[in-house]
Amino acid sequence: MPTPLLLTCADPLEPRMVEPAFRAEAEAARAAGFALALLDHDELDRRVDPGAALRRARLDGGGPAVYRGWMLRGDAYARLFEALAGRGVGLLTTPAAYAACHHAPGSYPALAPWMPRTAWLPLARIDDAAALRAVLDPFGAAPVILKDWVKSQASGYWDEACFIPDASDAAHVARVIGRFRALQGESLEGGLVFKAYVPLRPVGGPAHEHRAFVVRGAVVGCWPRGEGPSPSPPPDLLAAIAAAVPSPFASADLAQDLDGRWWLLEVGDGGVSGLPDPDAAVPLFAALAATLAGRGVSR
């Protein structure tokens, strides 16, 4: 069995070194039996040139691989997947699976039972007033939050570019969308996504979120994302979500509402989701090594 390969980002200032943000992960991966290959993230994601991105990567012998690094646009990931396949390297996550969890609309059909109501408008139709109204009408006068396929402006511009108190207030909707689009600029990806707003615990402070990682339909672990004590999501809920996630490698973020109900807030591709705890790297790479060797939970 070929040695599993971790493909991660090179340090832009020292291209033969791992990007500092991923060095601890690289050590955990080595301990789990992975070899390392480095790529130039800018060449891949900005210029979509996998050949240039991989020019220093050591890919001797090919074999199974996993990507852990900075976010990649869907087209860049697809080009990377194809370039690696041409050199005998098989990434665990296909382009379709990457898009399914990296783009908000991709996972919603499979995970809707646990998520707030979600609707979206593709990029080509975001100036279509009738299409926008059709997307928002099912929310009635309820509050919604706005993001694109991947990101929101919640952290810095909650009131002006994320939160919409009344989905039926066309003027307010237009103002928030306009500000959001101005802030996103050319980085706006996919289109507009609207989610029903759910008040989360604790009142008056940042939500007590938890992030789980899923490998081949099994939960590797679930860790709090913030400080302070908070209960963990029920294991049976995590298992049900993990079994339905449309990717072999994903993250899932959960939190409780004010009535104590757990909600799946979003999922992400496992390769580009940040670790909620540095110690999560050890069980995560152990699980990835096992699944690349054919010993993981089957889907």
Side-chain angles (χ1 to χ4, degrees):
M1 179 72 186
T3 300
L5 183 69
L6 169 64
L7 196 67
T8 192
C9 299
D11 184 340
L13 301 180
E14 298 183 69
R16 297 185 184 279
M17 301 288 291
V18 176
E19 160 71 45
F22 300 106
R23 286 178 186 169
E25 290 192 35
E27 290 306 311
R30 284 194 181 101
F34 281 82
L36 298 185
L38 303 181
L39 63 78
D40 185 323
H41 180 268
D42 284 351
E43 290 286 2
L44 183 59
D45 198 55
R46 294 184 183 178
R47 289 174 280 280
V48 196
D49 187 342
L54 294 169
R55 67 184 181 277
R56 291 190 177 92
R58 298 182 62 180
L59 304 173
D60 302 337
V66 66
Y67 173 73
R68 276 286 303 168
W70 301 125
M71 286 185 180
L72 294 168
R73 298 199 313 273
D75 60 337
Y77 185 86
R79 291 284 302 279
L80 174 65
F81 185 93
E82 294 165 2
L84 290 170
R87 298 172 68 173
V89 176
L91 281 174
L92 172 63
T93 304
T94 65
Y98 179 82
C101 287
H102 188 53
H103 295 160
S107 58
Y108 184 70
L111 300 170
W114 303 286
M115 301 185 79
R117 178 193 287 272
T118 303
W120 52 89
L121 195 62
L123 193 60
R125 304 191 69 189
I126 61 175
D127 292 314
D128 183 333
L132 174 63
R133 192 70 263 147
V135 165
L136 289 174
D137 276 347
F139 293 99
V144 296
I145 57 175
L146 169 66
K147 60 178 291 183
D148 68 12
W149 260 224
V150 178
K151 296 180 180 180
S152 75
Q153 290 288 342
S155 60
Y157 301 92
W158 172 258
D159 288 321
E160 58 185 291
C162 183
F163 181 63
I164 299 171
D166 179 349
S168 68
D169 184 341
H172 198 134
V173 167
R175 285 196 301 273
V176 172
I177 290 176
R179 181 62 171 145
F180 176 74
R181 291 176 65 178
L183 290 167
Q184 292 294 89
E186 293 183 358
S187 68
L188 195 155
E189 190 163 354
L192 304 178
V193 175
F194 300 91
K195 290 188 175 186
Y197 170 69
V198 177
L200 301 173
R201 294 181 174 179
V203 177
H208 285 164
E209 293 186 25
H210 285 70
R211 173 165 289 178
F213 274 88
V214 175
V215 174
R216 289 283 185 199
V219 178
V220 174
C222 186
W223 298 266
R225 297 188 67 190
E227 298 180 359
S230 60
S232 296
D236 57 343
L237 172 63
L238 290 173
I241 290 169
V245 167
S247 172
F249 184 24
S251 67
D253 294 342
L254 301 97
Q256 280 182 299
D257 67 17
L258 301 186
D259 295 322
R261 176 180 172 178
W262 282 97
W263 291 91
L264 174 60
L265 303 179
E266 63 182 8
V267 296
D269 173 72
V272 301
S273 298
L275 295 184
D277 185 320
D279 292 340
V282 172
L284 181 61
F285 282 104
L288 289 168
T291 203
L292 291 178
R295 303 191 305 272
V297 177
S298 63
R299 281 180 61 87

XYZ file of all heavy atoms in Angstrom, residues 179-278:
735
model
N -25.195 46.289 0.337
C -23.992 46.453 1.157
C -23.154 45.177 1.146
O -21.921 45.229 1.053
C -24.401 46.820 2.584
C -23.229 47.048 3.528
C -22.365 48.203 3.083
N -21.375 48.543 4.101
C -20.151 48.964 3.836
N -19.750 49.110 2.574
N -19.315 49.260 4.818
N -23.821 44.043 1.220
C -23.113 42.766 1.182
C -22.337 42.617 -0.124
O -21.159 42.247 -0.127
C -24.111 41.619 1.343
C -23.500 40.248 1.215
C -22.726 39.716 2.231
C -23.690 39.489 0.065
C -22.147 38.453 2.112
C -23.124 38.233 -0.070
C -22.347 37.712 0.959
N -22.978 42.919 -1.220
C -22.315 42.789 -2.522
C -21.130 43.751 -2.635
O -20.083 43.405 -3.204
C -23.314 43.025 -3.646
C -24.354 41.930 -3.774
C -25.390 42.229 -4.840
N -24.792 42.260 -6.182
C -25.491 42.462 -7.300
N -26.812 42.656 -7.226
N -24.894 42.466 -8.476
N -21.284 44.949 -2.088
C -20.188 45.904 -2.146
C -18.988 45.408 -1.338
O -17.835 45.550 -1.764
C -20.649 47.260 -1.619
N -19.251 44.813 -0.182
C -18.170 44.313 0.659
C -17.518 43.066 0.061
O -16.292 42.906 0.130
C -18.695 44.001 2.062
C -19.078 45.219 2.906
C -19.873 44.793 4.128
C -17.824 45.977 3.344
N -18.310 42.192 -0.506
C -17.753 40.974 -1.100
C -16.976 41.277 -2.374
O -15.972 40.632 -2.664
C -18.877 39.972 -1.413
C -19.577 39.383 -0.197
C -18.677 38.511 0.633
O -18.005 39.004 1.535
N -18.626 37.231 0.338
N -17.466 42.205 -3.144
C -16.790 42.562 -4.384
C -16.644 41.363 -5.307
O -17.569 40.561 -5.461
N -15.462 41.232 -5.909
C -15.233 40.143 -6.852
C -15.116 38.789 -6.170
O -15.132 37.751 -6.844
C -13.968 40.420 -7.667
C -14.096 41.621 -8.601
C -12.857 41.827 -9.446
O -11.878 41.053 -9.270
O -12.858 42.746 -10.283
N -15.015 38.781 -4.844
C -14.922 37.507 -4.138
C -16.286 36.869 -3.898
O -16.358 35.753 -3.370
C -14.198 37.691 -2.795
O -14.979 38.460 -1.899
N -17.372 37.554 -4.259
C -18.702 36.965 -4.083
C -18.779 35.666 -4.876
O -18.550 35.651 -6.081
C -19.779 37.948 -4.541
C -21.212 37.623 -4.095
C -22.039 38.904 -4.059
C -21.897 36.612 -4.996
N -19.089 34.578 -4.193
C -19.012 33.263 -4.824
C -20.387 32.595 -4.913
O -21.100 32.486 -3.913
C -18.063 32.351 -4.038
C -17.746 31.053 -4.747
C -16.514 30.358 -4.177
O -15.842 30.941 -3.312
O -16.244 29.226 -4.618
N -20.752 32.192 -6.105
C -21.925 31.345 -6.296
C -23.252 32.044 -6.410
O -24.049 31.768 -7.300
N -23.536 32.972 -5.493
C -24.820 33.647 -5.457
C -25.160 34.042 -4.032
O -24.277 34.136 -3.173
N -26.423 34.277 -3.765
C -26.883 34.700 -2.444
C -27.588 33.544 -1.747
O -28.384 32.831 -2.354
C -27.844 35.883 -2.562
C -27.322 37.120 -3.290
C -28.418 38.190 -3.352
C -26.068 37.670 -2.622
N -27.300 33.382 -0.469
C -27.916 32.354 0.358
C -28.635 33.035 1.514
O -28.060 33.906 2.181
C -26.866 31.364 0.899
C -27.505 30.378 1.867
C -26.194 30.615 -0.240
N -29.874 32.636 1.754
C -30.674 33.176 2.851
C -31.009 32.036 3.811
O -31.489 30.979 3.395
C -31.973 33.805 2.339
C -31.746 34.940 1.379
C -31.681 34.698 0.010
C -31.577 36.237 1.840
C -31.456 35.733 -0.884
C -31.353 37.277 0.947
C -31.295 37.023 -0.417
N -30.747 32.270 5.105
C -31.040 31.266 6.129
C -31.954 31.871 7.184
O -31.770 33.022 7.587
C -29.754 30.795 6.812
C -28.851 29.952 5.939
C -27.706 29.382 6.780
C -26.857 28.432 5.964
N -25.838 27.760 6.808
N -32.919 31.085 7.635
C -33.763 31.533 8.735
C -32.895 31.825 9.956
O -32.015 31.037 10.306
C -34.803 30.466 9.070
N -33.127 32.961 10.567
C -32.357 33.339 11.745
C -32.860 32.560 12.952
O -34.057 32.510 13.237
C -32.490 34.832 12.005
C -31.917 35.268 13.339
C -30.548 35.240 13.557
C -32.758 35.685 14.368
C -30.014 35.631 14.782
C -32.238 36.084 15.593
C -30.869 36.054 15.805
O -30.357 36.426 17.012
N -31.929 31.928 13.680
C -32.250 31.177 14.890
C -31.476 31.791 16.057
O -30.234 31.775 16.047
C -31.862 29.689 14.736
C -32.144 28.935 16.031
C -32.609 29.045 13.572
N -32.151 32.362 17.063
C -31.438 32.892 18.233
C -30.755 31.749 18.981
O -31.391 30.748 19.327
C -32.545 33.528 19.083
C -33.702 33.701 18.151
C -33.597 32.587 17.160
N -29.475 31.894 19.234
C -28.684 30.813 19.814
C -28.218 31.163 21.223
O -28.094 32.328 21.585
C -27.465 30.531 18.930
C -27.781 30.120 17.486
C -26.494 30.047 16.672
C -28.510 28.785 17.447
N -27.933 30.138 22.001
C -27.361 30.318 23.328
C -25.882 30.703 23.223
O -25.193 30.208 22.334
C -27.492 29.027 24.135
C -28.930 28.628 24.477
C -28.927 27.351 25.302
N -30.289 27.029 25.751
C -30.596 25.937 26.484
N -29.629 25.097 26.836
N -31.827 25.721 26.855
N -25.431 31.562 24.156
C -26.149 32.241 25.241
C -26.726 33.567 24.771
O -26.262 34.136 23.786
C -25.038 32.461 26.268
C -23.819 32.698 25.439
C -23.967 31.789 24.249
N -27.725 34.071 25.481
C -28.308 35.366 25.148
C -27.272 36.471 25.385
O -26.596 36.503 26.408
C -29.560 35.634 26.016
C -30.122 37.017 25.715
C -30.607 34.559 25.781
N -27.123 37.358 24.396
C -26.257 38.506 24.559
C -24.779 38.253 24.348
O -23.958 39.122 24.630
N -24.419 37.085 23.849
C -23.007 36.796 23.622
C -22.826 35.904 22.408
O -23.803 35.429 21.818
N -21.581 35.676 22.011
C -21.320 34.789 20.870
C -21.878 33.392 21.121
O -21.819 32.877 22.244
C -19.784 34.772 20.781
C -19.342 36.002 21.492
C -20.340 36.244 22.566
N -22.429 32.794 20.100
C -23.033 31.470 20.245
C -21.998 30.443 20.674
O -20.835 30.497 20.266
C -23.666 31.041 18.923
N -22.429 29.497 21.489
C -21.575 28.389 21.911
C -21.629 27.305 20.824
O -22.412 26.373 20.905
C -22.042 27.828 23.248
C -21.692 28.696 24.411
N -22.267 28.565 25.657
C -20.812 29.727 24.530
C -21.763 29.460 26.490
N -20.895 30.184 25.827
N -20.787 27.461 19.827
C -20.778 26.504 18.723
C -19.816 25.354 18.991
O -18.838 25.494 19.729
C -20.373 27.195 17.415
C -21.371 28.206 16.909
C -20.995 28.747 15.544
O -20.272 28.049 14.797
O -21.406 29.877 15.222
N -20.118 24.223 18.346
C -19.231 23.067 18.350
C -18.953 22.680 16.904
O -19.833 22.804 16.047
C -19.860 21.881 19.078
C -19.872 22.025 20.574
N -20.679 22.938 21.220
C -19.175 21.381 21.540
C -20.476 22.836 22.531
N -19.576 21.903 22.741
N -17.735 22.224 16.645
C -17.388 21.738 15.309
C -16.998 20.270 15.379
O -16.114 19.887 16.147
C -16.251 22.552 14.695
C -15.726 21.973 13.367
C -14.874 22.979 12.605
N -15.715 24.043 12.059
C -15.249 25.092 11.372
N -13.932 25.205 11.153
N -16.078 26.025 10.910
N -17.667 19.465 14.564
C -17.346 18.048 14.437
C -16.650 17.814 13.104
O -16.908 18.521 12.122
C -18.609 17.198 14.522
N -15.771 16.822 13.067
C -15.193 16.376 11.808
C -15.705 14.978 11.505
O -15.846 14.145 12.407
C -13.671 16.393 11.854
C -13.083 17.729 11.492
C -12.873 18.698 12.457
C -12.774 18.035 10.169
C -12.352 19.941 12.119
C -12.258 19.274 9.820
C -12.040 20.231 10.797
N -15.987 14.767 10.217
C -16.559 13.513 9.747
C -15.648 12.925 8.683
O -15.254 13.622 7.738
C -17.968 13.753 9.141
C -18.526 12.477 8.535
C -18.912 14.316 10.202
N -15.299 11.653 8.845
C -14.510 10.939 7.850
C -15.241 9.647 7.491
O -15.522 8.825 8.364
C -13.090 10.624 8.368
C -12.328 9.745 7.370
C -12.314 11.909 8.626
N -15.589 9.509 6.235
C -16.300 8.328 5.729
C -17.545 8.003 6.545
O -17.806 6.869 6.903
C -15.386 7.117 5.701
C -14.306 7.153 4.645
C -14.871 6.832 3.281
N -13.807 6.753 2.275
C -14.003 6.846 0.981
N -15.219 7.052 0.519
N -13.003 6.751 0.138
N -18.319 9.031 6.854
C -19.594 8.818 7.518
C -19.509 8.584 9.009
O -20.527 8.331 9.650
N -18.309 8.682 9.597
C -18.136 8.482 11.038
C -17.617 9.761 11.680
O -16.772 10.465 11.106
C -17.166 7.337 11.306
N -18.087 10.070 12.872
C -17.638 11.254 13.599
C -16.275 10.969 14.220
O -16.125 10.033 15.013
C -18.648 11.638 14.697
C -18.149 12.855 15.475
C -20.015 11.922 14.093
N -15.294 11.776 13.874
C -13.951 11.644 14.450
C -13.910 12.262 15.841
O -13.264 11.750 16.751
C -12.907 12.309 13.543
C -11.532 12.314 14.194
C -12.864 11.609 12.188
N -14.595 13.368 16.003
C -14.643 14.064 17.278
C -15.439 15.340 17.128
O -15.745 15.776 16.013
N -15.792 15.943 18.262
C -16.553 17.192 18.265
C -15.991 18.071 19.368
O -15.892 17.642 20.523
C -18.042 16.910 18.485
S -19.102 18.366 18.327
N -15.627 19.296 19.002
C -14.926 20.185 19.920
C -15.624 21.542 19.979
O -16.124 22.038 18.966
C -13.486 20.400 19.456
C -12.653 19.170 19.418
C -11.825 18.718 20.407
C -12.538 18.226 18.345
N -11.210 17.556 20.012
C -11.616 17.224 18.751
C -13.123 18.120 17.073
C -11.279 16.151 17.943
C -12.788 17.042 16.267
C -11.874 16.075 16.698
N -15.658 22.188 21.168
C -16.212 23.549 21.252
C -15.345 24.525 20.476
O -14.117 24.388 20.432
C -16.204 23.848 22.754
C -15.184 22.920 23.329
C -15.189 21.693 22.472
N -15.973 25.536 19.882
C -15.239 26.525 19.091
C -14.955 27.797 19.879
O -14.190 28.647 19.421
C -16.026 26.880 17.831
C -16.228 25.718 16.885
C -16.836 26.191 15.578
N -15.913 27.046 14.831
C -16.268 27.735 13.749
N -17.511 27.688 13.312
N -15.383 28.477 13.112
N -15.581 27.946 21.019
C -15.369 29.155 21.813
C -14.956 28.818 23.224
O -14.724 27.656 23.574
N -14.859 29.843 24.052
C -14.474 29.661 25.439
C -15.712 29.511 26.303
O -16.818 29.872 25.923
C -13.633 30.846 25.909
C -12.326 31.010 25.133
C -11.514 32.198 25.612
O -12.002 32.896 26.534
O -10.422 32.422 25.079
N -15.512 28.983 27.494
C -16.616 28.827 28.428
C -17.260 27.468 28.305
O -17.259 26.855 27.242
N -17.835 26.970 29.414
C -18.465 25.647 29.407
C -19.744 25.646 28.587
O -20.523 26.596 28.610
C -18.754 25.392 30.887
C -18.897 26.771 31.482
C -17.930 27.640 30.723
N -19.951 24.571 27.864
C -21.194 24.401 27.114
C -21.366 22.919 26.828
O -20.381 22.188 26.659
C -21.176 25.180 25.796
O -20.123 24.745 24.970
N -22.611 22.443 26.795
C -22.841 21.014 26.539
C -22.457 20.644 25.119
O -22.471 21.485 24.209
C -24.342 20.859 26.772
C -24.909 22.217 26.509
C -23.863 23.199 26.974
N -22.113 19.387 24.917
C -21.793 18.887 23.581
C -23.044 18.382 22.891
O -23.995 17.950 23.551
C -20.770 17.752 23.674
O -19.552 18.221 24.205
N -23.084 18.408 21.563
C -24.239 17.869 20.844
C -24.429 16.385 21.153
O -23.449 15.659 21.387
C -23.869 18.076 19.370
C -22.821 19.142 19.378
C -22.070 18.976 20.653
N -25.655 15.907 21.161
C -25.919 14.493 21.450
C -25.240 13.574 20.427
O -25.275 13.846 19.223
C -27.443 14.385 21.348
C -27.944 15.776 21.523
C -26.899 16.670 20.949
N -24.626 12.486 20.873
C -23.947 11.580 19.949
C -24.844 11.018 18.857
O -24.401 10.837 17.717
C -23.437 10.463 20.872
C -23.283 11.124 22.211
C -24.408 12.105 22.283
N -26.128 10.747 19.186
C -27.012 10.189 18.157
C -27.308 11.212 17.064
O -27.438 10.861 15.882
C -28.314 9.650 18.759
C -29.088 10.694 19.543
O -28.500 11.737 19.916
O -30.293 10.471 19.795
N -27.374 12.493 17.436
C -27.561 13.547 16.434
C -26.327 13.649 15.544
O -26.442 13.717 14.312
C -27.813 14.885 17.133
C -27.843 16.126 16.230
C -28.980 16.035 15.228
C -27.948 17.400 17.060
N -25.157 13.651 16.135
C -23.929 13.720 15.348
C -23.814 12.535 14.392
O -23.419 12.688 13.234
C -22.713 13.751 16.278
C -22.509 15.023 17.096
C -21.368 14.838 18.091
C -22.239 16.218 16.189
N -24.173 11.360 14.877
C -24.078 10.166 14.030
C -25.034 10.249 12.852
O -24.681 9.859 11.723
C -24.369 8.914 14.859
N -26.239 10.753 13.082
C -27.216 10.877 11.993
C -26.735 11.878 10.948
O -26.849 11.639 9.739
C -28.570 11.290 12.558
N -26.210 12.999 11.397
C -25.692 14.005 10.470
C -24.509 13.439 9.688
O -24.422 13.588 8.466
C -25.297 15.276 11.233
C -26.553 15.989 11.755
C -24.482 16.226 10.346
C -26.273 17.106 12.736
N -23.585 12.781 10.387
C -22.394 12.230 9.734
C -22.774 11.245 8.643
O -22.146 11.209 7.575
C -21.495 11.560 10.766
N -23.792 10.442 8.898
C -24.209 9.449 7.910
C -24.808 10.091 6.663
O -24.808 9.482 5.590
C -25.215 8.488 8.535
N -25.308 11.325 6.802
C -25.974 11.986 5.673
C -25.077 12.970 4.933
O -25.444 13.435 3.848
C -27.219 12.728 6.179
N -23.926 13.313 5.491
C -23.035 14.296 4.858
C -22.592 13.792 3.480
O -22.125 12.665 3.355
C -21.802 14.552 5.752
C -20.733 15.319 4.984
C -22.203 15.338 6.987
N -22.732 14.616 2.428
C -22.433 14.159 1.065
C -20.968 14.273 0.670
O -20.638 14.758 -0.407
C -23.319 15.062 0.204
C -23.368 16.348 0.957
C -23.375 15.959 2.423
N -20.075 13.856 1.559
C -18.635 13.908 1.288
C -17.934 12.944 2.228
O -18.402 12.727 3.352
C -18.093 15.327 1.494
O -16.676 15.334 1.412
N -16.798 12.390 1.813
C -16.048 11.518 2.714
C -15.247 12.267 3.770
O -14.700 11.647 4.677
C -15.114 10.753 1.768
C -14.891 11.695 0.642
C -16.203 12.413 0.456
N -15.157 13.598 3.660
C -14.339 14.369 4.594
C -14.970 15.744 4.749
O -14.948 16.559 3.820
C -12.912 14.475 4.063
C -11.933 15.160 4.982
C -12.135 15.211 6.345
C -10.785 15.754 4.461
C -11.221 15.838 7.191
C -9.863 16.380 5.282
C -10.079 16.412 6.650
N -15.561 15.998 5.912
C -16.326 17.231 6.099
C -16.270 17.681 7.547
O -15.906 16.930 8.450
C -17.783 17.020 5.679
N -16.651 18.939 7.752
C -16.863 19.478 9.097
C -18.334 19.826 9.247
O -19.048 20.023 8.256
C -16.006 20.724 9.325
O -16.442 21.789 8.489
N -18.788 19.906 10.507
C -20.176 20.263 10.783
C -20.207 21.142 12.024
O -19.636 20.775 13.055
C -21.023 19.011 11.012
N -20.857 22.310 11.918
C -20.948 23.256 13.028
C -22.350 23.227 13.606
O -23.339 23.350 12.859
C -20.621 24.668 12.553
C -19.175 24.818 12.116
O -18.350 23.959 12.491
O -18.870 25.780 11.390
N -22.443 23.087 14.928
C -23.730 22.968 15.601
C -23.811 23.904 16.797
O -22.787 24.265 17.393
C -23.973 21.531 16.087
C -23.980 20.429 15.028
C -22.623 19.750 14.950
C -25.060 19.404 15.315
N -25.048 24.277 17.159
C -25.278 25.094 18.345
C -26.724 24.888 18.793
O -27.571 24.384 18.031
C -25.015 26.571 18.060
N -27.017 25.299 20.032
C -28.355 25.192 20.603
C -29.102 26.509 20.516
O -28.512 27.581 20.711
C -28.277 24.797 22.079
C -28.038 23.332 22.357
C -28.036 23.062 23.846
O -27.220 23.598 24.580
N -28.947 22.236 24.298
N -30.404 26.424 20.254
C -31.216 27.635 20.315
C -31.657 27.896 21.756
O -31.304 27.151 22.685
C -32.395 27.574 19.341
C -33.439 26.521 19.701
O -33.462 26.029 20.854
O -34.258 26.185 18.815
N -32.417 28.948 21.966
C -32.789 29.344 23.322
C -33.710 28.340 23.998
O -33.834 28.341 25.227
C -33.459 30.729 23.284
C -32.602 31.862 22.706
C -33.324 33.195 22.860
C -31.235 31.914 23.368
N -34.334 27.455 23.215
C -35.191 26.409 23.780
C -34.442 25.101 23.998
O -35.032 24.112 24.430
C -36.392 26.157 22.864
C -37.316 27.365 22.765
O -37.505 28.038 23.797
O -37.832 27.637 21.661
N -33.153 25.091 23.660
C -32.356 23.887 23.870
C -32.269 22.955 22.683
O -31.607 21.919 22.764
N -32.906 23.312 21.570
C -32.814 22.461 20.383
C -31.457 22.653 19.701
O -30.978 23.775 19.553
C -33.925 22.799 19.394
C -33.828 22.016 18.091
C -34.928 22.346 17.102
N -34.659 21.701 15.815
C -35.484 21.779 14.759
N -36.622 22.447 14.848
N -35.165 21.175 13.624
N -30.871 21.546 19.262
C -29.611 21.617 18.525
C -29.891 21.817 17.042
O -30.772 21.178 16.467
C -28.814 20.327 18.714
C -28.118 20.262 20.035
C -28.553 19.639 21.163
C -26.871 20.873 20.370
N -27.667 19.819 22.182
C -26.612 20.572 21.731
C -25.949 21.647 19.662
C -25.469 21.010 22.389
C -24.811 22.088 20.312
C -24.582 21.770 21.664
N -29.103 22.708 16.427
C -29.210 22.993 15.004
C -27.861 22.751 14.329
O -26.807 23.094 14.872
C -29.599 24.456 14.768
C -30.992 24.789 15.179
C -31.412 25.246 16.396
C -32.161 24.703 14.360
N -32.764 25.450 16.395
C -33.254 25.117 15.149
C -32.397 24.319 13.044
C -34.556 25.162 14.664
C -33.690 24.367 12.554
C -34.750 24.777 13.357
N -27.910 22.192 13.149
C -26.739 22.139 12.284
C -26.699 23.467 11.543
O -27.554 23.748 10.697
C -26.850 20.967 11.306
C -25.759 20.868 10.233
C -24.381 20.721 10.855
C -26.063 19.714 9.287
N -25.717 24.297 11.855
C -25.651 25.635 11.270
C -25.095 25.593 9.849
O -25.581 26.295 8.965
C -24.792 26.545 12.134
C -25.240 26.683 13.599
C -24.286 27.599 14.347
C -26.672 27.196 13.681
N -24.058 24.796 9.640
C -23.496 24.637 8.305
C -22.501 23.491 8.306
O -22.047 23.044 9.362
C -22.815 25.920 7.819
C -21.625 26.373 8.648
C -21.047 27.667 8.118
O -21.650 28.284 7.219
O -19.969 28.065 8.602
N -22.193 23.019 7.131
C -21.114 22.062 6.965
C -20.053 22.694 6.076
O -20.308 23.673 5.371
C -21.595 20.721 6.365
C -22.567 20.022 7.294
C -22.220 20.919 4.994
N -18.861 22.135 6.120
C -17.768 22.629 5.292
C -16.942 21.468 4.789
O -17.024 20.341 5.319
N -16.154 21.709 3.760
C -15.231 20.680 3.312
C -14.182 20.453 4.402
O -13.639 21.405 4.961
C -14.544 21.110 2.017
C -13.456 20.145 1.625
O -13.790 19.021 1.193
O -12.268 20.484 1.797
N -13.895 19.187 4.684
C -12.953 18.868 5.745
C -11.546 19.343 5.482
O -10.775 19.585 6.412
N -11.191 19.498 4.210
C -9.844 19.912 3.882
C -9.562 21.379 4.115
O -8.398 21.767 4.257
N -10.610 22.204 4.170
C -10.395 23.651 4.298
C -11.088 24.242 5.520
O -11.161 25.466 5.660
C -10.845 24.394 3.013
C -10.066 23.884 1.814
C -12.348 24.260 2.768
N -11.588 23.399 6.409
C -12.226 23.871 7.634
C -11.186 23.942 8.742
O -10.433 22.976 8.959
C -13.355 22.912 8.053
O -14.359 22.849 7.072
N -11.153 25.054 9.466
C -10.185 25.211 10.530
C -10.433 24.253 11.685
O -11.579 23.894 11.984
N -9.352 23.833 12.343
C -9.494 22.966 13.501
C -10.017 23.779 14.685
O -9.491 24.848 14.983
C -8.153 22.338 13.877
C -7.518 21.381 12.871
C -6.247 20.783 13.470
C -8.481 20.281 12.456
N -11.024 23.287 15.396
C -11.538 24.009 16.562
C -10.604 23.923 17.757
O -10.702 24.719 18.691
C -12.866 23.306 16.850
C -12.674 21.926 16.298
C -11.790 22.067 15.104
N -9.692 22.942 17.726
C -8.742 22.713 18.816
C -7.499 22.098 18.185
O -7.612 21.141 17.412
C -9.364 21.756 19.838
C -8.496 21.541 21.065
O -7.265 21.437 20.919
O -9.045 21.442 22.176
N -6.297 22.615 18.492
C -5.096 22.030 17.893
C -4.961 20.531 18.148
O -4.423 19.797 17.314
C -3.955 22.806 18.565
C -4.571 24.100 18.994
C -5.986 23.775 19.350
